Amino acid sequence: MDRYGTDVLAGDWKVPKRGRAVEAPADLGLVVEEVTADWCGEIVAVDRDLDTLTLEDRRGKRRTFPLGPGFLLEGKPVILTAPVRPGAAPARPTRTASGSIAVPDAKARVARASRIFVEGRHDAELVEKVWGDDLRIEGVVVEYLGGVDDLADHLVSFKPGPERRVGVLVDHLVRGSKESRIADAIARGPVGKHVRIVGHPFVDVWQAVKPDRLGLQEWPTIPRSIEWKKGVCQHLGWPHRDQADIARAWKHILSKVSSYADLEPALLGRVEELIDFVTA
């Protein structure tokens, strides 16, 4: 059984029709609906000690409910939380962007000898944005290669071993591809047991960002005769003349990612697998 998930075609089939719930403060005066009781009313009181709120309907009747999920605000699902007191410091996040339990004020661990290699700068920036807090606590450094073609040479220089493991994230690692042939050759080689190469099915890591975060139903299909990133920018009407345009396009895409929930499952499991491998 693969604990990281192997179904690269898995999608967000569990997403409710109204969308996923987001946290919102239970400010006095808001009108919300409690879905299980079908009760709609104005928030007239919040008890922080009991974690409850009181709703008053249009007839003046009041009812108390626990704070948390199960409410609609303007038709959208929300998780109601106690409003912040005036002058109070904002609450610290309890989870990292990857979904791990946050460790406030944790110092970065001294870097391990083991490393994670990714193909390019964009891969490294995406991994940093979502898993950066976890990697600093674990002392894992992520390096980008500039392409997978020279991976074997990098490994010769790095000299993997039992205490010096290497995890590699590869784009478009599908059966019969150039990437799969390189991965198979390294796995059969003398350092294969100290190296784990995993990948996702996407042409580029851009596709690992869920298209609806960019207002798309799906990522466009680009002919092989056209450079993929430029083709995507052209299809979407974005500037694509030079590398600076591509960099700006990626910056826009990355800005739409705030947590693991914005990424496809086919990437999530692979990164988690590499972190486990190099920290074992």
Side-chain angles (χ1 to χ4, degrees):
M1 181 177 179
D2 185 353
R3 60 180 289 194
Y4 304 102
T6 57
D7 184 6
V8 300
L9 300 179
D12 255 5
W13 58 272
K14 296 180 181 179
V15 174
K17 292 182 179 179
R18 296 178 184 266
R20 293 193 184 281
V22 297
E23 289 191 352
D27 294 326
L28 299 182
L30 283 182
V31 176
V32 298
E33 178 183 351
E34 206 286 336
V35 295
T36 58
D38 194 23
W39 184 279
C40 183
E42 178 185 348
I43 300 175
V44 294
V46 175
D47 190 320
R48 290 181 172 84
D49 295 328
L50 298 177
D51 283 334
T52 61
L53 58 81
T54 300
L55 300 182
E56 181 178 285
D57 70 9
R58 57 190 178 87
R59 300 181 184 88
K61 293 183 179 180
R62 296 189 174 190
R63 188 165 175 179
T64 299
F65 301 94
L67 287 167
F71 295 92
L72 296 179
L73 175 61
E74 296 181 352
K76 302 292 185 181
V78 291
I79 302 170
L80 291 179
T81 60
V84 178
R85 291 186 177 93
R92 292 184 174 183
T94 58
R95 296 279 175 177
T96 68
S98 71
S100 301
I101 297 175
V103 183
D105 303 322
K107 294 183 179 180
R109 177 174 173 167
V110 175
R112 297 173 184 262
S114 300
R115 293 286 187 273
I116 291 178
F117 292 161
V118 297
E119 284 204 56
R121 182 186 295 273
H122 296 177
D123 306 70
E125 290 175 347
L126 184 61
V127 170
E128 160 62 27
K129 186 159 190 181
V130 176
W131 288 274
D133 290 340
D134 310 64
L135 293 170
R136 280 182 283 279
I137 289 176
E138 294 291 350
V140 177
V141 174
V142 175
E143 300 179 6
Y144 68 88
L145 303 170
V148 75
D149 292 9
D150 298 327
L151 175 58
D153 292 337
H154 281 280
L155 293 176
V156 169
S157 301
F158 188 81
K159 296 181 175 60
E163 304 299 325
R164 196 173 171 82
R165 293 181 166 195
V166 176
V168 186
L169 180 67
V170 178
D171 296 342
H172 200 232
L173 189 63
V174 296
R175 185 175 301 172
S177 66
K178 172 192 68 177
E179 292 81 1
S180 67
R181 292 191 292 272
I182 292 173
D184 290 343
I186 291 172
R188 293 193 301 267
V191 299
K193 62 182 178 180
H194 307 304
V195 178
R196 178 163 299 179
I197 303 174
V198 302
H200 53 73
F202 311 118
V203 175
D204 188 272
V205 77
W206 288 18
Q207 283 184 300
V209 178
K210 292 180 177 177
D212 62 355
R213 296 333 190 237
L214 297 159
L216 307 174
Q217 291 187 344
E218 60 183 8
W219 283 94
T221 300
I222 306 301
R224 291 187 178 183
S225 59
I226 301 175
E227 185 179 342
W228 191 84
K229 289 176 181 175
K230 288 188 176 181
V232 168
C233 291
Q234 183 178 15
H235 181 91
L236 298 178
W238 298 348
H240 56 279
R241 178 175 299 177
D242 52 28
Q243 191 57 38
D245 287 335
I246 301 302
R248 281 189 288 270
W250 168 242
K251 186 176 181 180
H252 172 68
I253 295 168
L254 189 61
S255 72
K256 303 300 181 181
V257 176
S258 58
S259 77
Y260 71 95
D262 301 313
L263 302 180
E264 296 288 358
L267 176 69
L268 298 175
R270 303 286 74 82
V271 176
E272 298 286 350
E273 182 177 354
L274 292 182
I275 294 174
D276 286 352
F277 178 73
V278 300
T279 58

